Amino acid sequence: MSAKEKQGFSLYFLIAFGLAWLCQVGGCMALLQQKNAVLYQLALIATMFCPLLAVLLVQKVFLRQPVGIGWKVQGKRRFWLAAWFGPAVFTLLGAVLYFAVFPSRLDFSGSWLVAAYGGEMDAQTLRSELGVSTLSYLLQNGLFAVILAPAINMFPALGEEAGWRGYMMPRLKERFGLLNGRLLGGVVWGVWHWPLMLLVGYEYGTNYLGAPVLGLVVWCVVCFALNTLLDLLYEKTGCIWVPAIAHGAFNAIAALPQVLITPADAYYNVLGPMPIGLISVLPMLAVAVGLTLHQMKQEQ
């Protein structure tokens, strides 16, 4: 990179973090002080587009260069399928591993659903009057998350993917190498979420094992694993829509396993059963590390 391109790269981080953190803090304040969940959700959506906006400002305005992101729909079918269904596979594997370690925490009684529906009806009433049970919830929401949600969620996810995988990762790998670039990219992506985690308990809540430090660290581990796989999809296809689909699929499916625990066990969310837990992320982490080491060996 030239000296001006290095300046542009630094400017990218300043814009991507500065604008996003303003949106995050503003949205959190709206939720905490005004109980305005709608404004909070809009702030989250705006946050996701900050990396894309940072790329456009740096490349088009500051450097006056093409953005250099692959927008054309291309790539082999197997990578598109991996993007669409891979997150569901990792979510399932992570949940199986978590409950293999903690079998006593597997709960089919519907206690999580009772709490989610406000606690006004017990599990039997939910099943008889609303037709809602643990199994029906998993099937209905699981099918939607796997079949339709990736296509819907990929549009907001594209805002992040264009910045992180389309712009940031090629430059980090060029400067620091494959493994170190992916490690650093995962940490950067993780830290970018920290205001939400600290202010409103994004992902793990506020009352969990090792809060808040353990959650911040585990989230960076999760982001490294996911960043690696999304980066690999972009490498293999040259199409930013592919990691956007995978990102959207992950957002859709990741929370589903929590229906299998009691509300009290949410204290251990930082461990699992969602794939963002320290134990349940291990299958995804193992694949991410293995594929990176394999790439490094091939390059040598």
Side-chain angles (χ1 to χ4, degrees):
M1 287 189 290
S2 67
K4 189 168 185 179
E5 286 173 337
K6 289 179 181 178
Q7 292 175 356
F9 197 32
S10 299
L11 182 60
Y12 163 78
F13 288 112
L14 181 63
I15 297 172
F17 272 78
L19 292 179
W21 281 6
L22 283 174
C23 290
Q24 290 180 30
V25 172
C28 290
M29 291 302 100
L31 185 64
L32 292 172
Q33 296 181 359
Q34 305 169 25
K35 307 299 181 183
N36 193 327
V38 174
L39 188 57
Y40 170 70
Q41 291 297 330
L42 290 175
L44 291 188
I45 295 173
T47 295
M48 296 183 75
F49 283 98
C50 289
L52 173 58
L53 179 59
V55 173
L56 295 175
L57 289 174
V58 167
Q59 291 296 104
K60 292 292 190 179
V61 179
F62 181 71
L63 295 176
R64 298 186 183 277
Q65 296 177 355
V67 293
I69 296 171
W71 300 102
K72 182 181 178 181
V73 176
Q74 61 184 17
K76 294 182 179 179
R77 185 180 302 174
R78 65 174 181 268
F79 296 117
W80 287 80
L81 291 174
W84 203 287
F85 298 107
V89 173
F90 284 122
T91 299
L92 177 61
L93 292 176
V96 168
L97 177 60
Y98 178 81
F99 289 121
V101 176
F102 299 110
S104 63
R105 292 182 187 157
L106 181 61
D107 175 44
F108 284 105
S109 70
S111 60
W112 185 89
L113 289 172
V114 170
Y117 277 81
E120 298 178 356
M121 293 181 283
D122 58 23
Q124 184 175 356
T125 305
L126 281 175
R127 186 165 49 251
S128 60
E129 294 191 6
L130 301 181
V132 177
S133 66
T134 298
L135 181 59
S136 69
Y137 184 91
L138 286 172
L139 287 175
Q140 292 173 13
N141 287 275
L143 286 173
F144 175 78
V146 171
I147 296 174
L148 296 178
I152 299 170
N153 289 356
M154 70 176 177
F155 292 104
L158 184 67
E160 286 194 53
E161 291 310 305
W164 304 132
R165 260 59 67 179
Y167 178 81
M168 177 185 73
M169 284 310 302
R171 288 158 179 79
L172 287 182
K173 289 183 294 185
E174 177 186 351
R175 186 167 182 179
F176 298 104
L178 185 64
L179 179 58
N180 291 336
R182 285 177 174 170
L183 280 169
L184 183 56
V187 171
V188 168
W189 193 25
V191 171
W192 185 75
H193 294 83
W194 278 6
L196 289 172
M197 302 180 74
L198 291 169
L199 291 172
V200 296
Y202 179 76
E203 298 297 4
Y204 304 115
T206 55
N207 180 30
Y208 59 87
L209 180 68
V213 176
L214 184 59
L216 301 179
V217 174
V218 171
W219 181 244
C220 286
V221 174
V222 173
C223 285
F224 160 68
L226 188 56
N227 172 66
T228 296
L229 298 178
L230 296 176
D231 180 54
L232 185 62
L233 287 171
Y234 185 55
E235 277 187 356
K236 295 296 185 182
T237 62
C239 174
I240 201 63
W241 293 102
V242 180
I245 287 173
H247 189 161
F250 186 84
N251 287 351
I253 196 73
L256 198 60
Q258 69 182 352
V259 73
L260 296 172
I261 61 173
T262 64
D265 279 341
Y267 180 76
Y268 302 101
N269 276 351
V270 73
L271 301 179
M274 294 180 289
I276 58 172
L278 185 58
I279 292 174
S280 47
V281 75
L282 290 177
M284 186 166 63
L285 181 62
V287 172
V289 172
L291 289 174
T292 298
L293 294 177
H294 178 68
Q295 277 186 278
M296 294 172 64
K297 185 177 179 180
Q298 284 187 322
E299 290 177 0
Q300 291 175 354

